[in-house]
Amino acid sequence: MAMEALGTAGASPAIRGLSTMRALFRELVRFSRRNTLAAIGGLVGLFIIFVALAAPLLAPRDPLKADFRRMNKPPDAQSLLGTDQVGRDTLSRVIYGARTSLFVAFSAVILGTTVGSLWGVACGYLRGRFDLYSQRIMEILQSFPDLILAMAISMAIGTGLQAVIFAIAITRIPFGGRVIRSVALSVREMPYVEAGRASGASAMRIMALHVLPQCIAPYLVLATTHLGVAIVIEAALGFLGVGVPPPTPTWGNMLADSITALVPPWWLAFFPGLAITVTVLAFNLLGDGIRDTLDPRLSPAFLRMMAGGRRG
Amino acid sequence: MRKYLTRRAVYAAVTLLGVSLSIFVILRVLPGDPLVAILGVEGHAQMTPADRERIMADLGLSDPLPVQYVRWLGDIASGQLGKSFFRGDTVAELILHRGPISAEIGVLSVIISWLVGLPVGILSAFKPNSVPDGIARTLSVLFIAIPGFWLGMLIVLALLFWFGYKAPIIIVHVWQDPWQNLQIVIGPAIVLGLAQGAYIARMSRSCLLEVISEDFVRTARAKGLREGFVVMRHALPNALLPVITISGVLLGFVLGGSVAVEQAFGVPGLGRALVAAVIERDIIVVQNLVLLYAVIFVAVNVLVDLSYAWLDPRIRYG
């Protein structure tokens, strides 16, 4: 890729753009050939993102519209995945559920991992007392099981979309913090960072220009690995009745609806869960592939060691 | 060893103090007025100031926050843990009544995870990239992705549809009727155990493969030992350390996951009590139960670290 950039340095921006696109495409093909599963995961992930974005075009019916003449109907030609206890179309609700799920998961992971990573860079670079206290705080955050911490936080700040995003984001902070801190710790000892310090650059400048770029690969790995976890937490919160409040269609809420029925309709219990599983599977496979490609050091073993295997 | 032990215990105690303080901050300080947390914004707005004061005093919420926090620590020390807002019983009674079921589910699920995960991991590592290995890896990827509460729901539904069977939804302790008790806990334990087992299989496979490529294993093979003996006696003990660690980390997953899985199976354990308390906004119950889950999580990780130190002299003396 570097060669390509050099070779087209003098060409017009359009041609250069085209050639970078082509290089990117070639890179993607190579990635897919080496990680078939990850590529499939990526494609499925893209498809689900597409479904979420195009929900109003794809959904056959309004996901909130009740139809009391067609309640608890099993799948048939009129509603492919059946209807729920007030006659809402399950297929439409699953499609709109993708919207809520992905929106919450992406926002929470990006927010949590970014805050955690910036914090981790500061800890790893500055060391000293700041690092010591920060590590204690992260340890405290990691002493709670994810789902339980998310429940407590969303209870305190109210159960809305933002509360759920915020609650899940907080549970992601220490993971970013620990992994990125270890990267920053090793980067700060590199000669080029030392050179920066020697030439009088401020800590802020070194962190922003020299340490941060080194953290991009592990950041991407972390973010993709945690997407699946975030989706499951969101669904579990909805399932327990403490997530994004109804009538917003979310996969977790739909599962909760199905369980309250005396004789639970199987289609209402099956399809939303299938949607969760396929989505989580897709992002997990993609995450594994990205990790293998970008940073073999971040094997699951390493990540989990950092995540809390060794405390104190 | 004793020095390591004390240091570890002190760290854990400090962490738990921090944990209790943050629970207190999250549940009492963040919502501003605790009555807002209990009644919700609408309910709170409908009350007269006199009502507000009376209820606050009744619940012991009108004292300054630091006093309340210290009183909570005192409640913990006395073992009573305070009273539910809406029911007469203390949180300690609630935990004693419902805790055993959840504890059984947790312990059983860890046992199942090792019984399933370790053999699968070993088989995979014996012949990497073979067909059985492929199947094992596919299944473990799948079981990591399937949400436990959904799997639980499907199991309950399948049993109901095909066998007309429904597990008892009352609390039966193991010392009262072991058979009934087993019917209650086995479902959640299997679901949680399989998910953990998937991680353990994955971890033990990759650790074994790593160890197998080391010199001392080659030496053992060169001595003419049988392959099975080499793997079980030479490689496995060295590969187990990370697997034990991950089992401790997974406990966080079990504690959190069990809350949702108990709900799916309709098991009246501690997890459902927590969910009910969160929905009712019963702060005293929530703060104590959340603390309990954190204490268990931290304590088990201390145990994991100790077993690690016991198994690996480099840590003990390092």
Side-chain angles (χ1 to χ4, degrees):
Chain A
M1 249 166 102
M3 289 294 284
E4 241 96 4
L6 270 180
T8 53
S12 76
I15 295 181
R16 205 175 344 162
L18 198 69
S19 123
T20 343
M21 284 288 281
R22 207 176 291 158
L24 196 69
F25 181 71
R26 205 172 306 153
E27 237 3 72
L28 269 176
V29 168
R30 188 156 12 129
F31 173 81
S32 329
R33 213 171 271 155
R34 226 182 281 157
N35 296 288
T36 325
L37 277 177
I40 296 173
L43 281 181
V44 175
L46 276 180
F47 172 72
I48 294 165
I49 293 173
F50 167 75
V51 168
L53 290 176
L57 303 174
L58 295 173
R61 248 169 282 260
D62 180 350
L64 299 179
K65 182 113 174 31
D67 182 352
F68 294 103
R69 282 161 307 173
R70 286 181 53 76
M71 294 184 298
N72 281 323
K73 285 268 180 284
D76 57 19
Q78 220 177 342
S79 43
L80 291 175
L81 302 185
T83 61
D84 68 3
Q85 70 282 1
V86 290
R88 293 173 298 196
D89 182 46
T90 308
L91 176 61
S92 308
R93 287 177 71 74
V94 169
I95 290 174
Y96 270 90
R99 249 185 180 198
T100 328
S101 263
L102 291 194
F103 180 69
V104 170
F106 273 89
S107 317
V109 166
I110 291 173
L111 183 65
T113 312
T114 306
V115 170
S117 300
L118 292 177
W119 195 357
V121 166
C123 288
Y125 185 77
L126 298 174
R127 315 251 317 250
R129 200 162 280 180
F130 175 73
D131 183 31
L132 196 74
Y133 292 140
S134 301
Q135 288 312 301
R136 292 286 90 79
I137 295 175
M138 293 198 190
E139 216 157 86
I140 289 170
L141 277 179
Q142 285 197 312
S143 303
F144 298 99
D146 293 343
L147 183 61
I148 288 171
L149 181 59
M151 263 168 77
I153 295 173
S154 73
M155 172 189 173
I157 56 182
T159 48
L161 193 68
Q162 282 141 335
V164 172
I165 291 173
F166 189 69
I168 299 176
I170 287 189
T171 65
R172 299 299 101 199
I173 289 177
F175 295 92
R178 295 226 157 183
V179 175
I180 301 296
R181 171 179 174 268
S182 76
V183 176
L185 271 177
S186 64
V187 170
R188 86 187 290 275
E189 305 302 334
M190 302 255 178
Y192 75 92
V193 173
E194 209 176 327
R197 251 196 313 268
S199 56
S202 70
M204 259 330 233
R205 190 182 160 82
I206 295 178
M207 280 193 276
L209 293 182
H210 301 304
V211 183
L212 216 53
Q214 300 295 318
C215 301
I216 291 174
Y219 174 87
L220 284 178
V221 174
L222 264 169
T224 8
T225 349
H226 283 280
L227 268 180
V229 185
I231 288 172
V232 172
I233 297 180
E234 189 274 331
L237 289 175
F239 175 67
L240 295 173
V242 291
V244 180
T248 309
T250 78
W251 295 332
N253 285 354
M254 297 176 72
L255 290 178
D257 284 346
S258 81
I259 209 174
T260 47
L262 198 59
V263 181
W266 64 267
W267 55 95
L268 210 54
F270 184 73
F271 294 115
L274 188 67
I276 301 172
T277 306
V278 169
T279 312
V280 173
L281 195 60
F283 286 126
N284 281 358
L285 289 175
L286 180 66
D288 286 358
I290 292 184
R291 184 191 56 222
D292 293 345
T293 313
L294 284 184
D295 196 345
R297 220 167 29 113
L298 292 176
S299 66
F302 182 80
L303 270 182
R304 265 167 218 125
M305 291 277 275
M306 297 313 301
R310 313 227 37 76
R311 287 150 195 274
Chain B
M1 186 67 190
R2 181 166 295 166
K3 218 171 113 194
Y4 177 81
L5 228 156
T6 1
R7 200 180 58 203
R8 200 62 196 74
V10 169
Y11 263 127
V14 172
T15 306
L16 284 177
L17 202 64
V19 164
S20 72
L21 191 60
S22 40
I23 294 173
F24 193 79
V25 169
I26 290 172
L27 291 176
R28 295 286 185 83
V29 183
L30 275 189
D33 193 331
L35 281 188
V36 175
I38 299 167
L39 303 165
V41 179
E42 299 86 15
H44 183 257
Q46 287 167 10
M47 292 176 84
T48 65
D51 281 343
R52 244 169 252 173
E53 250 166 61
R54 186 173 47 76
I55 294 181
M56 290 282 276
D58 270 2
L59 298 173
L61 295 174
S62 42
D63 300 320
L65 285 172
V67 175
Q68 289 185 41
Y69 176 66
V70 172
R71 192 167 55 213
W72 181 34
L73 291 186
D75 281 344
I76 295 170
S78 77
Q80 287 305 303
L81 302 177
K83 264 190 182 160
S84 157
F85 282 157
F86 304 109
R87 286 179 206 83
D89 42 0
T90 62
V91 181
E93 284 163 0
L94 180 78
I95 292 172
L96 283 181
H97 188 51
R98 290 179 165 231
I101 294 232
S102 297
E104 263 180 80
I105 292 174
V107 172
L108 216 57
S109 79
V110 172
I111 294 173
I112 292 174
S113 74
W114 279 86
L115 285 182
V116 174
L118 200 61
V120 170
I122 294 172
L123 277 179
S124 275
F126 250 116
K127 285 211 174 82
N129 302 320
S130 63
V131 175
D133 179 35
I135 295 174
R137 285 167 76 189
T138 313
L139 282 180
S140 65
V141 167
L142 200 63
F143 273 102
I144 287 173
I146 296 180
F149 59 90
W150 182 53
L151 188 59
M153 279 176 67
L154 292 186
I155 292 176
V156 170
L157 273 183
L159 288 176
L160 191 66
F161 274 133
W162 288 321
F163 301 102
Y165 169 81
K166 191 131 184 44
I169 46 170
I170 43 162
I171 300 178
V172 183
H173 290 302
V174 67
W175 54 87
Q176 289 164 334
D177 184 346
W179 174 238
Q180 285 252 319
N181 174 268
L182 187 69
Q183 291 181 46
I184 297 175
V185 297
I186 194 71
I190 289 178
V191 166
L192 289 167
L194 285 180
Q196 291 175 79
Y199 279 104
I200 287 185
R202 212 183 197 195
M203 192 71 174
S204 49
R205 175 186 183 273
S206 64
C207 290
L208 259 180
L209 283 179
E210 209 167 285
V211 173
I212 280 175
S213 65
E214 283 189 31
D215 289 345
F216 72 92
V217 174
R218 193 188 51 201
T219 309
R221 280 186 183 141
K223 282 197 298 192
L225 296 179
R226 274 179 297 111
E227 183 64 20
F229 192 81
V230 173
V231 172
M232 299 310 278
R233 288 298 290 275
H234 291 259
L236 192 59
N238 287 288
L240 274 186
L241 292 172
V243 184
I244 292 174
T245 305
I246 199 200
S247 193
V249 176
L250 283 176
L251 192 86
F253 163 88
V254 176
L255 290 172
S258 72
V259 173
V261 173
E262 277 181 14
Q263 185 89 358
F265 277 95
V267 172
L270 215 49
R272 287 196 81 193
L274 177 61
V275 174
V278 166
I279 291 174
E280 288 176 341
R281 304 179 157 273
D282 197 337
I283 298 183
I284 299 288
V285 175
V286 173
Q287 78 182 22
N288 284 299
L289 289 186
V290 171
L291 180 68
L292 178 70
Y293 277 98
V295 168
I296 296 171
F297 193 22
V298 170
V300 169
N301 273 295
V302 171
L303 287 180
V304 165
D305 275 9
L306 291 182
S307 71
Y308 217 90
W310 180 60
L311 291 167
D312 188 348
R314 281 171 304 184
I315 293 172
R316 208 180 321 156
Y317 299 112

